[in-house]
Amino acid sequence: MNEKPIGVFDSGIGGLTVVRAIHRRLPHENMVYFGDTARVPYGPKSPQVVREYAAQDAGFLTSHDVKLIVVACNTVSAVALDVVTKQARVPVVGVIHPGAAEARSATRSKRVGVIGTIATISSGAYTHALRQLDPSITVVPQACPLFVPLAEEGWTDHAVTHMVAKEYLFPLKLEKIDTLILGCTHYPVLRTAIQAALDGTVTLIDSGEAAAHDVERLLDAEGLRNQSSQRANLRFFVSDLPAKFTEVGERFLGEKMGRVHRVGGF
Ligand code: DGL
């Protein structure tokens, strides 16, 4: 049981930042990753459609006999975590609650910004999670849809990205936030531009990192940690364009990826 892989899915490539965080923390845990590259982006789509996609994505991971499912996608975590939890017969970790909990611990001024896709921000999921943890926190949400294509393009420190970041984050600066949740899988790779737009004064919370911490706690609590001392086997599946996924994905993952398999039916 313990050698079974952890299943991780995302709408596309961004969830690799979550795989990287888990792999750093738990280098012996095998993982199966699914990126729905045929249907990305999920962020501008309706909750109903995202829920349908999420059920199919989780079904694919279940067919690989995973011991735990990590919903790396913030959009899915925001609008469809219940769908995945109901369907899976294994524990499920999303990214919203871990990110909110870490922001609550980090903030001193109790003024927290949240950035994400249109669907994530419209759902109010982060605001709700933060307010449940501490009703006195002021939450300043902001959708940043252009960040996803900029990250996909690899323009992590490009002048255009800096300009877009300044534009999106100006209202959050005015609101004097001291903590900002990166509520989208793609945003950690834009960290430099985001931090610069906020004059380097704000604590950035990477929800994926926070979720990796939760994965570790859960594996220990359930006695599911892989006891093997071998380096983990990471397998990658996508619903379209495996070559492009490999090229961009290695930037997100921070290491070589090996063969990426395409699966049909999505
Ligand atoms: N994975 C999505 C998220 O974290 C970003 C990309 C998309 O819109 O599908 O919200």
mmCIF file of all heavy atoms in Angstrom, residues 102-139:
data_model
loop_
_atom_site.group_PDB
_atom_site.id
_atom_site.type_symbol
_atom_site.label_atom_id
_atom_site.label_comp_id
_atom_site.label_asym_id
_atom_site.label_seq_id
_atom_site.Cartn_x
_atom_site.Cartn_y
_atom_site.Cartn_z
ATOM 1 N N GLU A 102 -1.887 28.858 6.126
ATOM 2 C CA GLU A 102 -0.535 29.420 6.207
ATOM 3 C C GLU A 102 -0.577 30.954 6.200
ATOM 4 O O GLU A 102 0.198 31.612 6.906
ATOM 5 C CB GLU A 102 0.321 28.902 5.054
ATOM 6 C CG GLU A 102 1.778 29.100 5.354
ATOM 7 C CD GLU A 102 2.676 28.308 4.432
ATOM 8 O OE1 GLU A 102 2.419 27.107 4.247
ATOM 9 O OE2 GLU A 102 3.608 28.915 3.898
ATOM 10 N N ALA A 103 -1.495 31.512 5.414
ATOM 11 C CA ALA A 103 -1.625 32.978 5.375
ATOM 12 C C ALA A 103 -2.077 33.510 6.731
ATOM 13 O O ALA A 103 -1.595 34.547 7.203
ATOM 14 C CB ALA A 103 -2.616 33.374 4.287
ATOM 15 N N ARG A 104 -2.972 32.790 7.362
ATOM 16 C CA ARG A 104 -3.454 33.216 8.677
ATOM 17 C C ARG A 104 -2.293 33.262 9.681
ATOM 18 O O ARG A 104 -2.167 34.183 10.481
ATOM 19 C CB ARG A 104 -4.544 32.238 9.168
ATOM 20 C CG ARG A 104 -5.408 32.756 10.293
ATOM 21 C CD ARG A 104 -4.947 32.345 11.688
ATOM 22 N NE ARG A 104 -4.768 30.930 11.828
ATOM 23 C CZ ARG A 104 -5.527 30.145 12.559
ATOM 24 N NH1 ARG A 104 -6.562 30.653 13.193
ATOM 25 N NH2 ARG A 104 -5.238 28.866 12.668
ATOM 26 N N SER A 105 -1.415 32.265 9.603
ATOM 27 C CA SER A 105 -0.268 32.263 10.521
ATOM 28 C C SER A 105 0.729 33.371 10.176
ATOM 29 O O SER A 105 1.406 33.895 11.058
ATOM 30 C CB SER A 105 0.503 30.940 10.452
ATOM 31 O OG SER A 105 -0.353 29.874 10.529
ATOM 32 N N ALA A 106 0.830 33.702 8.877
ATOM 33 C CA ALA A 106 1.865 34.657 8.458
ATOM 34 C C ALA A 106 1.479 36.110 8.700
ATOM 35 O O ALA A 106 2.347 36.935 8.989
ATOM 36 C CB ALA A 106 2.179 34.458 6.976
ATOM 37 N N THR A 107 0.188 36.440 8.566
ATOM 38 C CA THR A 107 -0.182 37.865 8.602
ATOM 39 C C THR A 107 -0.060 38.462 10.008
ATOM 40 O O THR A 107 -0.430 37.829 10.997
ATOM 41 C CB THR A 107 -1.615 38.086 8.048
ATOM 42 O OG1 THR A 107 -1.879 39.483 8.010
ATOM 43 C CG2 THR A 107 -2.686 37.389 8.879
ATOM 44 N N ARG A 108 0.458 39.686 10.038
ATOM 45 C CA ARG A 108 0.526 40.429 11.297
ATOM 46 C C ARG A 108 -0.565 41.498 11.311
ATOM 47 O O ARG A 108 -1.204 41.728 12.317
ATOM 48 C CB ARG A 108 1.904 41.101 11.451
ATOM 49 C CG ARG A 108 3.059 40.129 11.621
ATOM 50 C CD ARG A 108 3.059 39.450 13.015
ATOM 51 N NE ARG A 108 3.763 38.174 13.006
ATOM 52 C CZ ARG A 108 3.178 36.973 12.910
ATOM 53 N NH1 ARG A 108 1.865 36.859 12.851
ATOM 54 N NH2 ARG A 108 3.886 35.860 12.901
ATOM 55 N N SER A 109 -0.746 42.134 10.135
ATOM 56 C CA SER A 109 -1.716 43.236 10.057
ATOM 57 C C SER A 109 -3.143 42.734 9.848
ATOM 58 O O SER A 109 -4.091 43.507 9.897
ATOM 59 C CB SER A 109 -1.345 44.161 8.902
ATOM 60 O OG SER A 109 -1.487 43.469 7.671
ATOM 61 N N LYS A 110 -3.275 41.425 9.563
ATOM 62 C CA LYS A 110 -4.581 40.819 9.272
ATOM 63 C C LYS A 110 -5.211 41.416 8.018
ATOM 64 O O LYS A 110 -6.424 41.541 7.898
ATOM 65 C CB LYS A 110 -5.532 40.932 10.461
ATOM 66 C CG LYS A 110 -5.005 40.229 11.685
ATOM 67 C CD LYS A 110 -6.107 39.746 12.569
ATOM 68 C CE LYS A 110 -5.516 38.974 13.740
ATOM 69 N NZ LYS A 110 -6.518 38.311 14.531
ATOM 70 N N ARG A 111 -4.350 41.792 7.092
ATOM 71 C CA ARG A 111 -4.812 42.257 5.775
ATOM 72 C C ARG A 111 -4.131 41.363 4.747
ATOM 73 O O ARG A 111 -2.921 41.453 4.506
ATOM 74 C CB ARG A 111 -4.456 43.732 5.548
ATOM 75 C CG ARG A 111 -5.039 44.647 6.617
ATOM 76 C CD ARG A 111 -4.810 46.110 6.301
ATOM 77 N NE ARG A 111 -5.570 46.576 5.151
ATOM 78 C CZ ARG A 111 -6.866 46.855 5.175
ATOM 79 N NH1 ARG A 111 -7.557 46.693 6.275
ATOM 80 N NH2 ARG A 111 -7.463 47.292 4.090
ATOM 81 N N VAL A 112 -4.939 40.452 4.165
ATOM 82 C CA VAL A 112 -4.400 39.400 3.303
ATOM 83 C C VAL A 112 -4.956 39.540 1.883
ATOM 84 O O VAL A 112 -6.173 39.639 1.692
ATOM 85 C CB VAL A 112 -4.767 37.998 3.867
ATOM 86 C CG1 VAL A 112 -4.295 36.889 2.935
ATOM 87 C CG2 VAL A 112 -4.175 37.818 5.266
ATOM 88 N N GLY A 113 -4.078 39.549 0.905
ATOM 89 C CA GLY A 113 -4.495 39.559 -0.496
ATOM 90 C C GLY A 113 -4.573 38.130 -1.028
ATOM 91 O O GLY A 113 -3.859 37.246 -0.545
ATOM 92 N N VAL A 114 -5.456 37.920 -1.999
ATOM 93 C CA VAL A 114 -5.548 36.606 -2.661
ATOM 94 C C VAL A 114 -5.608 36.857 -4.155
ATOM 95 O O VAL A 114 -6.462 37.640 -4.620
ATOM 96 C CB VAL A 114 -6.842 35.849 -2.274
ATOM 97 C CG1 VAL A 114 -6.872 34.494 -2.975
ATOM 98 C CG2 VAL A 114 -6.971 35.675 -0.786
ATOM 99 N N ILE A 115 -4.733 36.217 -4.907
ATOM 100 C CA ILE A 115 -4.824 36.318 -6.366
ATOM 101 C C ILE A 115 -5.047 34.921 -6.952
ATOM 102 O O ILE A 115 -4.585 33.925 -6.411
ATOM 103 C CB ILE A 115 -3.577 36.995 -6.993
ATOM 104 C CG1 ILE A 115 -2.261 36.324 -6.557
ATOM 105 C CG2 ILE A 115 -3.550 38.476 -6.644
ATOM 106 C CD1 ILE A 115 -1.021 36.919 -7.241
ATOM 107 N N GLY A 116 -5.813 34.877 -8.061
ATOM 108 C CA GLY A 116 -6.120 33.588 -8.678
ATOM 109 C C GLY A 116 -6.842 33.784 -9.997
ATOM 110 O O GLY A 116 -6.930 34.911 -10.509
ATOM 111 N N THR A 117 -7.369 32.691 -10.528
ATOM 112 C CA THR A 117 -8.124 32.780 -11.786
ATOM 113 C C THR A 117 -9.486 33.420 -11.513
ATOM 114 O O THR A 117 -9.900 33.568 -10.349
ATOM 115 C CB THR A 117 -8.363 31.377 -12.386
ATOM 116 O OG1 THR A 117 -9.203 30.635 -11.490
ATOM 117 C CG2 THR A 117 -7.068 30.630 -12.632
ATOM 118 N N ILE A 118 -10.202 33.728 -12.585
ATOM 119 C CA ILE A 118 -11.536 34.334 -12.430
ATOM 120 C C ILE A 118 -12.442 33.392 -11.633
ATOM 121 O O ILE A 118 -13.149 33.809 -10.715
ATOM 122 C CB ILE A 118 -12.136 34.652 -13.821
ATOM 123 C CG1 ILE A 118 -11.310 35.766 -14.486
ATOM 124 C CG2 ILE A 118 -13.611 35.055 -13.713
ATOM 125 C CD1 ILE A 118 -11.610 35.987 -15.955
ATOM 126 N N ALA A 119 -12.405 32.086 -11.958
ATOM 127 C CA ALA A 119 -13.287 31.123 -11.265
ATOM 128 C C ALA A 119 -12.950 31.028 -9.779
ATOM 129 O O ALA A 119 -13.849 30.999 -8.932
ATOM 130 C CB ALA A 119 -13.176 29.745 -11.919
ATOM 131 N N THR A 120 -11.665 30.999 -9.456
ATOM 132 C CA THR A 120 -11.254 30.880 -8.052
ATOM 133 C C THR A 120 -11.680 32.116 -7.265
ATOM 134 O O THR A 120 -12.261 32.010 -6.182
ATOM 135 C CB THR A 120 -9.718 30.699 -7.954
ATOM 136 O OG1 THR A 120 -9.368 29.493 -8.638
ATOM 137 C CG2 THR A 120 -9.249 30.624 -6.512
ATOM 138 N N ILE A 121 -11.420 33.293 -7.835
ATOM 139 C CA ILE A 121 -11.753 34.527 -7.119
ATOM 140 C C ILE A 121 -13.275 34.692 -7.017
ATOM 141 O O ILE A 121 -13.806 35.008 -5.961
ATOM 142 C CB ILE A 121 -11.074 35.755 -7.796
ATOM 143 C CG1 ILE A 121 -9.538 35.618 -7.708
ATOM 144 C CG2 ILE A 121 -11.537 37.070 -7.172
ATOM 145 C CD1 ILE A 121 -8.960 35.440 -6.307
ATOM 146 N N SER A 122 -14.006 34.391 -8.121
ATOM 147 C CA SER A 122 -15.473 34.527 -8.073
ATOM 148 C C SER A 122 -16.091 33.574 -7.058
ATOM 149 O O SER A 122 -17.140 33.881 -6.492
ATOM 150 C CB SER A 122 -16.114 34.214 -9.427
ATOM 151 O OG SER A 122 -15.490 34.911 -10.434
ATOM 152 N N SER A 123 -15.476 32.432 -6.852
ATOM 153 C CA SER A 123 -16.054 31.446 -5.920
ATOM 154 C C SER A 123 -15.994 31.941 -4.464
ATOM 155 O O SER A 123 -16.768 31.489 -3.625
ATOM 156 C CB SER A 123 -15.295 30.119 -6.008
ATOM 157 O OG SER A 123 -14.042 30.223 -5.329
ATOM 158 N N GLY A 124 -15.068 32.846 -4.185
ATOM 159 C CA GLY A 124 -14.913 33.328 -2.806
ATOM 160 C C GLY A 124 -14.344 32.267 -1.869
ATOM 161 O O GLY A 124 -14.392 32.421 -0.645
ATOM 162 N N ALA A 125 -13.786 31.192 -2.416
ATOM 163 C CA ALA A 125 -13.353 30.062 -1.574
ATOM 164 C C ALA A 125 -12.246 30.462 -0.588
ATOM 165 O O ALA A 125 -12.281 30.069 0.580
ATOM 166 C CB ALA A 125 -12.876 28.903 -2.450
ATOM 167 N N TYR A 126 -11.274 31.235 -1.056
ATOM 168 C CA TYR A 126 -10.194 31.643 -0.144
ATOM 169 C C TYR A 126 -10.723 32.600 0.933
ATOM 170 O O TYR A 126 -10.351 32.501 2.095
ATOM 171 C CB TYR A 126 -9.054 32.321 -0.920
ATOM 172 C CG TYR A 126 -8.017 31.358 -1.445
ATOM 173 C CD1 TYR A 126 -7.897 31.110 -2.802
ATOM 174 C CD2 TYR A 126 -7.154 30.686 -0.576
ATOM 175 C CE1 TYR A 126 -6.947 30.218 -3.289
ATOM 176 C CE2 TYR A 126 -6.202 29.802 -1.055
ATOM 177 C CZ TYR A 126 -6.095 29.571 -2.410
ATOM 178 O OH TYR A 126 -5.158 28.685 -2.874
ATOM 179 N N THR A 127 -11.586 33.535 0.511
ATOM 180 C CA THR A 127 -12.143 34.493 1.471
ATOM 181 C C THR A 127 -12.888 33.736 2.558
ATOM 182 O O THR A 127 -12.717 33.986 3.764
ATOM 183 C CB THR A 127 -13.106 35.468 0.740
ATOM 184 O OG1 THR A 127 -12.370 36.087 -0.308
ATOM 185 C CG2 THR A 127 -13.655 36.517 1.680
ATOM 186 N N HIS A 128 -13.691 32.762 2.145
ATOM 187 C CA HIS A 128 -14.478 31.978 3.075
ATOM 188 C C HIS A 128 -13.559 31.199 4.036
ATOM 189 O O HIS A 128 -13.780 31.197 5.256
ATOM 190 C CB HIS A 128 -15.360 31.027 2.250
ATOM 191 C CG HIS A 128 -16.282 30.224 3.079
ATOM 192 N ND1 HIS A 128 -17.357 30.764 3.743
ATOM 193 C CD2 HIS A 128 -16.276 28.898 3.379
ATOM 194 C CE1 HIS A 128 -17.971 29.821 4.409
ATOM 195 N NE2 HIS A 128 -17.345 28.671 4.208
ATOM 196 N N ALA A 129 -12.533 30.558 3.452
ATOM 197 C CA ALA A 129 -11.622 29.749 4.286
ATOM 198 C C ALA A 129 -10.886 30.628 5.300
ATOM 199 O O ALA A 129 -10.750 30.261 6.472
ATOM 200 C CB ALA A 129 -10.619 29.017 3.390
ATOM 201 N N LEU A 130 -10.436 31.812 4.851
ATOM 202 C CA LEU A 130 -9.713 32.711 5.765
ATOM 203 C C LEU A 130 -10.626 33.228 6.877
ATOM 204 O O LEU A 130 -10.244 33.269 8.044
ATOM 205 C CB LEU A 130 -9.141 33.903 4.978
ATOM 206 C CG LEU A 130 -7.841 33.634 4.230
ATOM 207 C CD1 LEU A 130 -7.606 34.682 3.157
ATOM 208 C CD2 LEU A 130 -6.645 33.593 5.183
ATOM 209 N N ARG A 131 -11.851 33.602 6.491
ATOM 210 C CA ARG A 131 -12.787 34.156 7.477
ATOM 211 C C ARG A 131 -13.195 33.102 8.502
ATOM 212 O O ARG A 131 -13.457 33.407 9.653
ATOM 213 C CB ARG A 131 -14.036 34.686 6.772
ATOM 214 C CG ARG A 131 -13.774 35.902 5.935
ATOM 215 C CD ARG A 131 -14.252 37.179 6.670
ATOM 216 N NE ARG A 131 -13.833 38.352 5.920
ATOM 217 C CZ ARG A 131 -14.441 38.781 4.819
ATOM 218 N NH1 ARG A 131 -15.505 38.154 4.353
ATOM 219 N NH2 ARG A 131 -13.995 39.858 4.209
ATOM 220 N N GLN A 132 -13.242 31.839 8.048
ATOM 221 C CA GLN A 132 -13.570 30.768 8.991
ATOM 222 C C GLN A 132 -12.457 30.596 10.017
ATOM 223 O O GLN A 132 -12.707 30.330 11.180
ATOM 224 C CB GLN A 132 -13.759 29.464 8.243
ATOM 225 C CG GLN A 132 -15.213 29.230 7.855
ATOM 226 C CD GLN A 132 -15.477 27.778 7.535
ATOM 227 O OE1 GLN A 132 -14.590 27.072 7.072
ATOM 228 N NE2 GLN A 132 -16.697 27.339 7.786
ATOM 229 N N LEU A 133 -11.224 30.783 9.544
ATOM 230 C CA LEU A 133 -10.080 30.644 10.453
ATOM 231 C C LEU A 133 -9.982 31.834 11.397
ATOM 232 O O LEU A 133 -9.610 31.695 12.551
ATOM 233 C CB LEU A 133 -8.783 30.532 9.639
ATOM 234 C CG LEU A 133 -8.609 29.253 8.826
ATOM 235 C CD1 LEU A 133 -7.457 29.398 7.840
ATOM 236 C CD2 LEU A 133 -8.364 28.063 9.746
ATOM 237 N N ASP A 134 -10.290 33.032 10.874
ATOM 238 C CA ASP A 134 -10.197 34.245 11.686
ATOM 239 C C ASP A 134 -11.098 35.322 11.078
ATOM 240 O O ASP A 134 -10.726 35.973 10.099
ATOM 241 C CB ASP A 134 -8.732 34.721 11.704
ATOM 242 C CG ASP A 134 -8.549 35.950 12.583
ATOM 243 O OD1 ASP A 134 -9.565 36.583 12.956
ATOM 244 O OD2 ASP A 134 -7.389 36.279 12.893
ATOM 245 N N PRO A 135 -12.276 35.529 11.663
ATOM 246 C CA PRO A 135 -13.245 36.485 11.090
ATOM 247 C C PRO A 135 -12.725 37.918 11.062
ATOM 248 O O PRO A 135 -13.282 38.754 10.343
ATOM 249 C CB PRO A 135 -14.470 36.374 12.009
ATOM 250 C CG PRO A 135 -14.262 35.123 12.798
ATOM 251 C CD PRO A 135 -12.793 34.844 12.846
ATOM 252 N N SER A 136 -11.650 38.215 11.812
ATOM 253 C CA SER A 136 -11.170 39.600 11.826
ATOM 254 C C SER A 136 -10.198 39.897 10.684
ATOM 255 O O SER A 136 -9.714 41.017 10.550
ATOM 256 C CB SER A 136 -10.520 39.914 13.185
ATOM 257 O OG SER A 136 -9.307 39.197 13.296
ATOM 258 N N ILE A 137 -9.897 38.889 9.845
ATOM 259 C CA ILE A 137 -8.983 39.129 8.715
ATOM 260 C C ILE A 137 -9.734 39.853 7.592
ATOM 261 O O ILE A 137 -10.848 39.478 7.229
ATOM 262 C CB ILE A 137 -8.399 37.797 8.181
ATOM 263 C CG1 ILE A 137 -7.414 37.209 9.189
ATOM 264 C CG2 ILE A 137 -7.713 37.982 6.826
ATOM 265 C CD1 ILE A 137 -6.800 35.880 8.777
ATOM 266 N N THR A 138 -9.099 40.903 7.053
ATOM 267 C CA THR A 138 -9.640 41.583 5.869
ATOM 268 C C THR A 138 -9.013 40.925 4.647
ATOM 269 O O THR A 138 -7.782 40.835 4.546
ATOM 270 C CB THR A 138 -9.286 43.085 5.885
ATOM 271 O OG1 THR A 138 -9.853 43.658 7.055
ATOM 272 C CG2 THR A 138 -9.806 43.803 4.648
ATOM 273 N N VAL A 139 -9.861 40.451 3.727
ATOM 274 C CA VAL A 139 -9.347 39.756 2.545
ATOM 275 C C VAL A 139 -9.514 40.659 1.321
ATOM 276 O O VAL A 139 -10.585 41.236 1.114
ATOM 277 C CB VAL A 139 -10.117 38.428 2.308
ATOM 278 C CG1 VAL A 139 -9.489 37.651 1.161
ATOM 279 C CG2 VAL A 139 -10.130 37.581 3.580
#
